[in-house]
Amino acid sequence: MRYLELLPFTFAIEKINKHSNLLTNMTLGYNIYENYLNARITSDAVIDVVSGGQKTVPNYSCGGQKKLLAVLEGADSEISNQISTVLSIYKMPQLHPFLRNFQLYANYTEGIYFDENGDMAVDLDIVNWVATTNQTIIRVKVGSVERHAAAEIKFSIDQDVIVWPRWFNETQPASRCTESCPPGYTKLMKEGEALCCYNCSPCGEGTISTQEDASHCHKCPENQYPNKIQDQCVPKHISFLSHEEPLGIILNILTLFFTLITTFVLGIFIKYLETPVVKANNRDLSYLLLVSLLLSFLSSFLFIGEPREVTCLLRQTVFSVIFSVAVSSVLAKTVTVVVAFMASQPGSRMRKWLGKSLANSIVFSCSGIQVGICTLWLGISPPFPETDRHSQTAEIVLQCNEGSITMFYAALGYLGFLAAFCFTVAFLARKLPGAFNEAKLITFSMLVFCSVWVSFVPSYLSTKGKYMVALQIFSILVSSLGLLGCIFLPKCYIIILRPQLNTKEHLMIK
């Protein structure tokens, strides 16, 4: 037991004895025992306390005027129980740690009371007794205990004004059995232990706590999300594929570049419309295919920018119809190659099918089915712009809701069916004589086209936000470029760089 630890106790006894309004005609005294945290020494000290004379004999008093009022002890629970067992025989209060129906007086006239449950009935100041260098003691208020309601007590303390003894060089003592839970965590009580003993559990996904020792975590508003340490909500940023961001700029440049190339190819075919290469295999279908490819490149612009009602209505339906026209044109060119070869055989009845009527019928009928699907789609459940606040943690995604996902995949599925059928016909016709070898080019172009869109579906389903839109634009550009490059690049090479091959005789010999 250190000397400085006894100073507050002895000082309080001295103040009470000197105060004329406290304990009239009575003087407090005290005996101090050191038990060294030893059970046997503690037992000897307790027996000595209840003995009245010089000898340690319980219940014996020889002319003494001393009257034992109470015992103050600060032992651990095991030794405290031992002391309590002995003192309870003498009906003597034991003032640790439970105070019941107890009253004491401070250095003012009002009393300090504890109720029948041992709870404080008035406010208290927490005082730090500081020993100065000249051995005087000063009183410094470092905190307070205030009772606000029947079951609520507010404890406050200012750690900065506490003066610790110079010999105390250890970690400052804590009044709890666990550290405080920082913001971003919540208290998780331990079953069967005191309220001050708990574990700290991180807040769940999408929730935060802003105070220490929070009893629960709460969700952020829909337009905000938790920061990394989950101690505050951060505003979500708006996300869509804009024209100004790098990805949007790249897609815009590619779209413009491929549009210019398609326009250049179309210009070449218009300029050299009377040459054999252009006239071979239905010149009108070539023009229709080039125009549909030009429009398919331009349709990419409908997907870039903030989604609006008009763009959401048009983007998927325009894309589906234009691509159906393009694939139908390729299919018509392939069928024309097959029919032309069959009509060239002696005695063939396929000659009556030669001409523009068959090609036009294929294009209008195949494209008309897609137009019907898209019209039904717009009539039943049209696409519309929506705000998605939940799929992305840190973003509010502005996107187009397809309305009916069934109709979306019906249009995409029909386009896939046309492409697969066209590829099959072209593959079967690839070994026709050289004069009709455009089937080889169509076979390779449709292989590229089908590969792009087969890989598009799983990628589309696994992508979210603006990257899903960018993926569809990329698929439109690549598949359109595949048709343009595979079918028309060899012809442009002959027209521009090898004009001597652009003759009817050469085509027939080839």
Side-chain angles (χ1 to χ4, degrees):
M1 183 179 297
R2 300 179 184 273
Y3 171 72
L4 289 178
E5 295 174 348
L6 297 176
L7 286 180
F9 174 76
T10 56
F11 181 79
I13 296 295
E14 181 180 353
K15 293 287 290 185
I16 292 173
N17 287 336
K18 290 182 177 181
H19 203 293
S20 59
N21 295 328
L22 300 177
L23 301 181
T24 307
N25 298 325
M26 183 181 298
T27 302
L28 292 179
Y30 56 87
N31 289 332
I32 299 176
Y33 295 86
E34 173 62 81
N35 65 352
Y36 300 100
L37 301 179
N38 182 279
R40 185 186 63 79
I41 297 176
T42 302
S43 298
D44 291 343
V46 174
I47 296 299
D48 186 72
V49 166
V50 299
S51 300
Q54 298 294 327
K55 297 182 178 181
T56 307
V57 181
N59 299 326
Y60 174 76
S61 178
C62 183
Q65 298 297 319
K66 300 177 182 179
K67 183 178 180 181
L68 185 62
L69 297 178
V71 174
L72 303 177
E73 54 93 3
D76 58 27
S77 59
E78 181 179 355
I79 296 179
S80 179
N81 290 336
Q82 186 177 13
I83 296 172
S84 177
T85 301
V86 176
L87 295 181
S88 63
I89 300 174
Y90 296 89
K91 308 298 182 183
M92 191 174 298
Q94 179 202 23
L95 303 183
H96 173 75
F98 304 108
L99 300 176
R100 297 178 183 272
N101 299 320
F102 181 72
Q103 175 183 356
L104 57 88
Y105 288 87
N107 58 357
Y108 50 86
T109 57
E110 296 181 0
I112 300 176
Y113 296 89
F114 293 85
D115 59 22
E116 66 277 4
N117 297 320
D119 295 328
M120 183 183 66
V122 295
D123 297 341
L124 295 177
D125 290 339
I126 301 175
V127 177
N128 182 199
W129 299 100
V130 181
T132 62
T133 54
N134 58 1
Q135 298 302 314
T136 59
I137 298 177
I138 59 175
R139 177 178 180 270
V140 180
K141 179 182 177 180
V142 296
S144 63
V145 182
E146 302 174 357
R147 186 165 186 169
H148 289 269
E152 181 180 355
I153 296 179
K154 179 181 179 181
F155 174 87
S156 61
I157 192 167
D158 187 354
Q159 300 184 28
D160 297 332
V161 300
I162 298 177
V163 179
W164 296 96
R166 284 176 294 178
W167 49 263
F168 187 84
N169 56 3
E170 302 176 6
T171 303
Q172 297 182 7
S175 61
R176 59 182 71 189
C177 56
T178 185
E179 294 293 333
S180 296
C181 295
Y185 289 76
T186 181
K187 293 193 301 184
L188 188 63
M189 306 307 299
K190 296 181 179 180
E191 186 176 356
E193 296 192 22
L195 293 178
C196 62
C197 297
Y198 47 82
N199 293 323
C200 296
S201 177
C203 289
E205 184 177 358
T207 61
I208 66 164
S209 63
T210 58
Q211 299 177 342
E212 289 187 347
D213 292 333
S215 58
H216 66 279
C217 301
H218 59 274
K219 291 185 176 181
C220 291
E222 284 191 342
N223 60 344
Q224 297 180 353
Y225 71 101
N227 62 353
K228 188 174 182 179
I229 59 176
Q230 294 180 274
D231 64 349
Q232 64 177 336
C233 293
V234 180
K236 294 182 178 181
H237 67 273
I238 304 298
S239 174
F240 61 91
L241 185 59
S242 67
H243 294 278
E244 292 79 17
E245 64 178 294
L247 182 58
I249 293 174
I250 293 174
L251 293 175
N252 277 324
I253 293 175
L254 290 176
T255 300
L256 289 174
F257 178 69
F258 295 149
T259 300
L260 291 176
I261 292 178
T262 307
T263 304
F264 177 71
V265 173
L266 180 59
I268 291 175
F269 269 64
I270 293 175
K271 181 178 180 180
Y272 296 93
L273 60 91
E274 297 298 336
T275 60
V277 170
V278 176
K279 293 172 65 175
N281 198 240
N282 202 319
R283 178 176 54 192
D284 293 336
L285 284 178
S286 296
Y287 290 148
L288 180 61
L289 178 56
L290 283 171
V291 171
S292 61
L293 290 177
L294 179 63
L295 294 176
S296 67
F297 285 125
L298 293 175
S299 68
S300 300
F301 289 120
L302 293 174
F303 293 83
I304 305 176
E306 182 178 351
R308 301 189 182 278
E309 187 173 355
V310 175
T311 56
C312 287
L313 282 173
L314 293 179
R315 60 167 57 172
Q316 297 295 354
T317 53
V318 168
F319 151 74
S320 300
V321 172
I322 290 176
F323 263 69
S324 295
V325 173
V327 177
S328 299
S329 301
V330 176
L331 178 61
K333 290 172 73 67
T334 307
V335 173
T336 300
V337 171
V338 176
V339 172
F341 173 76
M342 295 177 65
S344 66
Q345 303 299 318
S348 174
R349 298 181 179 179
M350 298 300 296
R351 293 181 182 274
K352 63 180 179 180
W353 295 103
L354 288 176
K356 298 180 180 180
S357 58
L358 176 61
N360 293 338
S361 299
I362 293 175
V363 172
F364 283 112
S365 60
C366 293
S367 302
I369 295 175
Q370 186 70 288
V371 171
I373 294 174
C374 293
T375 302
L376 183 63
W377 182 3
L378 295 177
I380 295 176
S381 181
F384 59 91
E386 71 169 0
T387 301
D388 182 7
R389 303 177 185 272
H390 306 290
S391 62
Q392 301 290 329
T393 302
E395 298 177 348
I396 297 177
V397 181
L398 303 183
Q399 62 185 13
C400 288
N401 187 309
E402 307 305 346
S404 173
I405 196 68
T406 302
M407 297 304 298
F408 170 72
Y409 283 108
L412 196 62
Y414 176 72
L415 183 60
F417 167 76
L418 275 183
F421 183 70
C422 181
F423 170 75
T424 303
V425 175
F427 180 78
L428 294 176
R430 73 190 187 283
K431 293 184 179 181
L432 292 177
F436 308 100
N437 66 353
E438 192 177 28
K440 298 179 181 179
L441 303 178
I442 293 175
T443 300
F444 188 70
S445 67
M446 295 312 300
L447 179 62
V448 174
F449 186 92
C450 293
S451 300
V452 170
W453 289 105
V454 166
S455 60
F456 164 78
V457 174
S459 302
Y460 185 83
L461 294 175
S462 61
T463 310
K464 296 181 180 180
K466 62 183 180 182
Y467 299 104
M468 182 170 61
V469 179
L471 177 64
Q472 186 167 2
I473 296 175
F474 179 78
S475 300
I476 291 174
L477 296 178
V478 173
S479 57
S480 300
L481 184 63
L483 294 178
L484 179 66
C486 295
I487 296 177
F488 293 100
L489 185 60
K491 296 182 179 182
C492 290
Y493 172 76
I494 294 176
I495 294 173
I496 302 299
L497 301 179
R498 303 291 298 275
Q500 68 276 13
L501 301 179
N502 191 6
T503 61
K504 184 176 181 181
E505 293 76 14
H506 179 268
L507 292 178
M508 296 302 295
I509 294 174
K510 184 177 177 182

